Each structure stands twice: as C-alpha cells, then as structure tokens.
Amino acid sequence: MDSLFQAGLQGSGLQNQPLDVAYGSKITLKSAHPGAGLLHSHTDAYPDGSKQQQITGYSHKDTNNDWIVKKIHGQSFGNTTETIEFVRNGDIVRLVHERTTRNLHSHSVAGHVSKRDWEVSGYGLDGTYPDANDHWRVEVVEELSRNNPERRLRTLATRFRLRHVNQNCVLRATGKSLPQWAWRQAEMVCDRRNHLDENTLWNVENHVNPLLPPAKSDQLRSSFLRNFVRLNLAMARSNNALTPDKDKFDALSSSPQDWPVMRLGMRMCGWEDGEVKFWLIGNPVVWLVSTLAVVLGPIQMLYYVVRRQRGLCDFARQNEWETHLYVSGILWGGWALHYLPFYAMGRVTYQHHYFPAL
C-alpha cells in the first residue's frame, strides 16, 4: 500500500514527522510502482556501463534508503528555524545519499536491463565533484493535503516526478529486477521517452528535520474512498502475482474443475517424517449434496417456468413464487460469484478456495 494509507493505520510510525520538506531534510522516496519500494543505493558499483555506484529500489527499511535534500552545486541554504527554506514545485534540487555521500546522477549511458533508457547512478562525494548531471527538477503531479498555496513538497501527501535537468528524462521504476550483482533489487532508470505513468511518481515516505515541528494528525490522512479503491487494487495485484510455476510440480494445488466433485484433497502439514500428518478433505455427504443442488437448482427453476408458461401453477400464491425465485437466485448466484471467477484467474488455486461457494 502507498505511504499515505499506511500513515492512517494505528501504530504507524509515519505520522510523527514534519509536513513540509525543506533543504537539509533527510527523506526516503517511495515509488508508486507496486513492488519497486524505496529509492536505494549501496557501495556496490555497476559491473559495466559507467561503473559508478548502483541505484536501485528496495522494499525493506534500511538506512541505505536515506537521502539528504540539497540545493544545486554552488548554492547554500539556511540551517536555522529562521532561515530554513522549503522545497517547492519547480525547484531544482540535488539528492545526496546519506551513507555514501554520492549524488543521485544520470547521464547518457544505457540502462542495464532497460537498454532504451539512461542509467541512474551515484556519483561524486557530495560537493567534491560538482556535476550538472546531479540536478533534478521537482514536478508536483498530485497534492492530497489541504491548504498548500505555495505548492511545497509535503511528506506523504505530495505525489511528484523528478525530471533530470540536462537530459529531460524522468526518474522511473521499470518494474524489472537487476541481476544478482545488484542483489536482484528493482531497476531504476531515467526514462528518456518520458512515459508519464504511475511508475514515474514518487512520494516522501520518511522525513527527518529537527528544525521542523511534526505535522498534525489530520494533515497526513487520505479519504476513505481513496483508501478503499487503492486497497482493493493492491489486493488484486498481489492476488494475480501468485502465479503457478509451470516447471515445478505442486502437490498442494488444484484447479476449479476439481472442487465440485472433491477430486483432490490437500496436505496440511510439513514433509518431515516425525510430524503428524493432516489431509484436508470435505465431508462427502455435504460436499456432493451441495454439488447436486447446484446442478438440479437451475433445472428445477426451468421446470417451474415452463409449467407457468403453460398455465400450470405450482404455488398457491404469487408471493410464494416470488420468494422462491428470490431465495433460489441468492443461493445459486452466491455460489456462482464465489466459484466461477476462479476460471478467469491466473493465480495458483487450492481446495480451500471453494469453501465460500460451498
């Protein structure tokens, strides 16, 4: 889930942090691409291309996700409560990796998996080797907080892009994984074709600045409708990602056509010899009577409808017929809605998925 949704959960550590991002703030950047995680760097270098420090996406909390927001080379900023300067839409900034002091950098070197895009790397030692390729423009795309007339960059609530000033490309999570030399972490590139999709959107997830007060609780909260839609989209993505491995035999899985006749059970224990073995199998009477009812129900309904068309009434009163139609529709429709969609799913399926329909 996105950062703003997580901030609204009880016990979340994302609430007690400053709202407006300022120069000198320590931040983490979360990609809107599901699975890309946080902008990350480490001491390992690319084995080819520029051979500069790797920039990746990493989904776990790590101090290698921390970046310091600074002004472009040659410019300073205030570091007191009176002189502090906030980052606004359109500002050109420099992001310095806190642990290695490398600048977020891009240049005309091909990406390592996505060859059509430019490589993103860590370069220089903060201000030691000034390079204009360290400069990125902040482009605010969506503002989810209230009362932000100056269009400041805000923690959690601002969704923005980072555009490379010299190359006019945007920082993007490709959705692909780098090879083992980058620990199979997510690939980050500078998209030279300017695909302005969700994969180029970022938000500030963590923000530390001792000069700024924490935000009010209602300033870091999204609407119920937005949370509802995004939660269901995230669940759908996670569900569809559970695809079966065609090259591997899975003794636990089964297909939807196996369920109504209970053709397969499912092991519910480990493989060790010393463990007690459990085998999941339904009650044959309940299971097969349910399947028989599903088959005979539409046939019975068709029988009644044909007889009514011929003037033969099997129900004494009209409301009895309507009640029968309603109850039959609810029962059969509920079964169909809980069972038939599994035929359209690409995910791996198990016997217990039939339980709600049963």
Side-chain angles (χ1 to χ4, degrees), residues 249-266:
F249 173 71
D250 188 354
L252 304 181
S253 64
S254 57
S255 56
Q257 57 264 30
D258 297 326
W259 302 338
V261 295
M262 201 170 55
R263 193 177 76 85
L264 294 172
M266 188 171 72

Side-chain angles (χ1 to χ4, degrees), residues 31-33 141 159-161 170-175 191 193-202:
S31 171
H33 183 283
V141 176
R159 283 154 59 90
F160 60 94
R161 294 188 175 97
V170 289
L171 184 65
R172 186 172 192 267
T174 65
D191 191 332
R193 293 166 291 172
N194 283 286
H195 290 143
L196 303 182
D197 54 14
E198 285 275 314
N199 296 2
T200 62
L201 292 180
W202 300 84

Side-chain angles (χ1 to χ4, degrees), residues 209-272:
N209 193 319
L211 300 178
L212 297 173
K216 298 178 181 178
S217 58
D218 61 342
Q219 293 178 310
L220 300 178
R221 185 177 299 168
S222 56
S223 68
F224 170 80
L225 181 60
R226 181 180 184 274
N227 288 343
F228 178 81
V229 171
R230 288 188 167 271
L231 177 60
N232 280 273
L233 289 175
M235 289 191 295
R237 283 194 297 263
S238 299
N239 188 65
N240 291 332
L242 300 173
T243 55
D245 188 348
K246 296 180 180 180
D247 298 326
K248 181 181 179 181
F249 173 71
D250 188 354
L252 304 181
S253 64
S254 57
S255 56
Q257 57 264 30
D258 297 326
W259 302 338
V261 295
M262 201 170 55
R263 193 177 76 85
L264 294 172
M266 188 171 72
R267 178 184 58 80
M268 297 291 290
C269 58
W271 293 105
E272 289 76 10

Side-chain angles (χ1 to χ4, degrees), residues 326-337:
Y326 176 77
V327 173
S328 299
I330 289 292
L331 293 175
W332 200 91
W335 172 85
L337 288 173

Side-chain angles (χ1 to χ4, degrees), residues 242 252-255 259 264-268 280-282 287 338 342 347-358:
L242 300 173
L252 304 181
S253 64
S254 57
S255 56
W259 302 338
L264 294 172
M266 188 171 72
R267 178 184 58 80
M268 297 291 290
L280 178 66
I281 187 169
W287 206 285
H338 284 87
F342 282 99
R347 63 153 293 161
V348 62
T349 52
Y350 302 98
Q351 187 190 47
H352 63 259
H353 288 139
Y354 188 60
F355 287 177
L358 181 65

